[in-house]
Amino acid sequence: MTTGSMLEVPPAGRSARLAPGFGQRVLLTVDTEEEFDWRAPFRREGYGLSHVAAIPRFQTFCERIGAHPVYLVDWPIVQDARAVEVIGDAVRRGTAEVGVQLHPWVNPPFEEEVSVTNSFAGNLPQGLEAAKFTLLRDAIEAAFGTAPQIYRAGRYGLGPHTAALLKQAGIRIDTSVRSLFDYSDQDGPDYSNHPLTPYWVDPEQRLLELPVTSTYWGPLRALGPLLHRVQRHVPTFFSGFSRLRLLERIALTPEGVSAAEAIRGIDLSIDAGLPVLVLSFHSPTLAPGHTPYAATEAQVEALYGWFEAVYSRLAARGVRSCTVAEIIAATGG
């Protein structure tokens, strides 16, 4: 069990080249997980799964707008028959994919103390991280009839042993890195200096890192990482630049980011030549009252409006949806 030291994250590796015909694509990732109070301490029990009833509508919507969601499933979800039925149907029809997301505090075996530090799987002892991951990965393959090829650590909590674990399990893509973000104040990883572009984690080029897309916008965008480092010591430092529209950090998510902001981020990412734009959000946001981003039915409807606007912009810029399998193939896998 860890005692609160900052998580040491392996440095970024060699930039990955995608096949010339791949173009620029978008991958929609869904952190498909239990409902819990984001403001309360972590708990093993007391979570909900009622929002699973909202997933069929979302899947139908995705098929209409041409999105191809990747459901990154955690332990409570894979244990829920309704979730397996709904997501499994889309996977079997080839309109969605399934991957792995590890929330260690609700994933057996339960040997560690439940704490903020231990909510990052990479902070756990090597054997315990492996045991939790292996149980989850095997349960997903058994439930959905397909071996998952992509992983996201819950809370973006990669650790020094995660890459070897993923390679041994046959995972080909990790998408745990949230570039430009720093969680070290919670004993989590610091990704503030990690690149936005896909890169190889290992010299053998068997594990691809596909960072969740964020970008800086504004006249001071080149100073973004430096200014965010200052914010560690002065918590309100960065907000002043944002209010003055001098520097804004835009994550490609409907959670707390407006469609107009996201479209700015999309245009910047496309113009910078990013080969894969990775969108993300949490499945409980599909129903009201489970996350801070969708407290009401109106805010849930606004989420759908966000996706309509974003995918319209992507289409106008010639960016098509892609699958995990297509990314693997385009990198020579």
Side-chain angles (χ1 to χ4, degrees):
M1 183 175 64
T2 55
T3 57
S5 59
M6 185 190 299
L7 183 57
E8 291 294 330
V9 178
R14 177 181 171 188
S15 180
R17 294 179 180 272
L18 280 74
F22 186 80
Q24 290 180 292
R25 304 286 195 98
V26 60
L27 187 72
L28 173 56
T29 62
V30 186
D31 287 3
T32 314
E33 62 191 42
E34 73 285 359
E35 303 144 13
F36 61 96
D37 187 347
W38 289 20
R39 299 161 298 182
F42 293 100
R43 298 171 56 197
R44 296 213 195 280
E45 308 293 341
Y47 56 77
L49 292 168
S50 63
H51 79 280
V52 168
I55 294 179
R57 177 196 175 188
F58 175 71
Q59 179 61 37
T60 299
F61 171 81
C62 286
E63 293 175 28
R64 179 176 67 78
I65 67 171
H68 189 95
V70 180
Y71 294 102
L72 300 165
V73 169
D74 77 351
W75 184 263
I77 291 289
V78 78
Q79 298 301 311
D80 185 76
R82 174 61 174 159
V84 171
E85 176 188 351
V86 168
I87 297 170
D89 173 69
V91 171
R92 287 188 295 272
R93 291 187 292 109
T95 56
E97 291 171 290
V98 67
V100 183
Q101 185 201 184
L102 178 56
H103 276 189
W105 62 94
V106 290
N107 198 123
F110 299 126
E111 299 176 6
E112 81 284 11
E113 175 188 355
V114 177
S115 67
V116 172
T117 298
N118 288 333
S119 69
F120 300 99
N123 275 336
L124 299 176
Q126 182 177 0
L128 183 55
E129 180 187 13
K132 287 176 180 286
F133 169 84
T134 301
L135 277 177
L136 176 57
R137 182 233 167 266
D138 291 352
I140 289 171
E141 182 171 8
F144 295 100
T146 184
Q149 299 284 293
I150 186 169
Y151 173 72
R152 174 170 296 152
R155 310 201 71 217
Y156 315 103
L158 290 178
H161 306 295
T162 311
L165 170 62
L166 298 182
K167 288 174 63 178
Q168 184 177 6
I171 299 291
R172 299 297 305 279
I173 297 177
D174 179 72
T175 183
S176 304
V177 168
R178 197 179 192 201
S179 301
L180 312 185
F181 284 78
D182 179 7
Y183 300 96
S184 58
D185 63 336
Q186 303 172 59
D187 297 331
D190 179 3
Y191 298 126
S192 57
N193 289 311
H194 278 243
L196 299 170
T197 55
Y199 60 85
W200 294 109
V201 175
D202 58 326
E204 299 80 18
Q205 300 186 3
R206 299 301 296 169
L207 181 62
L208 181 74
E209 181 60 49
L210 191 64
V212 183
T213 303
S214 300
T215 189
Y216 285 117
W217 175 86
L220 300 180
R221 58 182 301 211
L223 299 176
L226 172 63
L227 296 178
H228 263 112
R229 282 196 294 275
V230 173
Q231 189 182 25
R232 293 178 186 173
H233 309 288
V234 186
T236 60
F237 182 76
F238 186 83
S239 59
F241 292 96
S242 180
R243 285 196 304 271
L244 295 172
R245 298 176 67 83
L246 295 173
L247 179 65
E248 181 181 6
R249 183 177 58 190
I250 302 173
L252 296 192
T253 175
E255 297 173 327
V257 178
S258 72
E261 291 169 328
I263 287 170
R264 285 202 300 273
I266 286 167
D267 286 340
L268 283 167
S269 299
I270 293 171
D271 293 344
L274 192 66
V276 183
L277 282 66
V278 180
L279 313 185
S280 69
F281 79 106
H282 300 82
S283 64
T285 303
L286 292 171
H290 302 306
T291 74
Y293 307 108
T296 65
E297 289 282 0
Q299 288 176 313
V300 172
E301 296 308 311
L303 176 142
Y304 282 95
W306 188 95
F307 279 113
E308 288 270 15
V310 160
Y311 272 82
S312 176
R313 184 60 174 181
L314 288 165
R317 293 296 308 265
V319 177
R320 297 179 291 122
S321 291
C322 66
T323 67
V324 170
E326 286 171 335
I327 296 171
I328 293 170
T331 53

